[in-house]
Amino acid sequence: MKKHITACAFAITTALLGATGASADGIPGMRGHDHTGITVPDMKQALDFFVGVVGCEKAMSFGPISDDKGTLMTDLVGVDARAKIDQVTLVRCGYGSNIEIFQYEAPDQRDLKARNSDIGAFHIALYVDDVGVAKTYLDSKGVATRMGPVPMNDGPIAGQTILYFQAPWGLQLEAISYPKGMAYEKDSKVILWSPKDPAK
């Protein structure tokens, strides 16, 4: 009887924790990062950059997507009901996860041009074998680059070298390399996934 009560108490506690979101187990079945979605002002310009300059490969395109009378766009992706996705294109960049590129039209569309310090801003980092070689190449293509290559010699990120650069429409990107790993790996139980060794 005591075992039965203990089992029931455990089941009720588990159910309550699950219902309130107190469990920290994560999304059931979550396997990893599939893609990052970005919205661009012009799909051709974006593909010229990601495929023609960065070296990603185009996998597929689809669209347009809209709902002239209903609320599909609000319900599906949280945008103005009259917003229209002109085109969606997915590209694959080396051994990394995919990039999903959107070209939208919307009554309330804004051009954010966010800086890295702005809340909600983001950048896309691409692993390269040599940041110095990457900078020389980007400069030759007329891509705006920032200070660098910058080697990190202290703290948990010691071992990496970085360079920030910018797409023609303002998207922030980063070239990063750590061929011998980073200092944090010596003590951390979790090693960050890296496209330089995707199976690790």
Side-chain angles (χ1 to χ4, degrees), residues 61 131 190:
S61 291
V131 176
V190 177

Side-chain angles (χ1 to χ4, degrees), residues 102-147:
F102 292 83
Q103 182 177 319
Y104 267 93
E105 297 175 41
D108 58 351
Q109 189 172 50
R110 297 177 294 159
D111 187 350
L112 299 177
K113 286 197 171 54
R115 299 163 299 171
N116 283 319
S117 57
D118 293 330
I119 294 172
F122 64 92
H123 69 275
I124 296 174
L126 301 167
Y127 189 91
V128 299
D129 293 331
D130 186 306
V131 176
V133 171
K135 177 176 171 54
T136 299
Y137 169 78
L138 291 167
D139 288 343
S140 76
K141 294 290 187 180
V143 175
T145 60
R146 302 200 182 282
M147 183 177 80

Side-chain angles (χ1 to χ4, degrees), residues 88-105:
V88 182
T89 299
L90 281 110
V91 298
R92 180 170 178 173
C93 304
Y95 294 110
S97 59
N98 311 301
I99 299 175
E100 187 175 29
I101 307 166
F102 292 83
Q103 182 177 319
Y104 267 93
E105 297 175 41

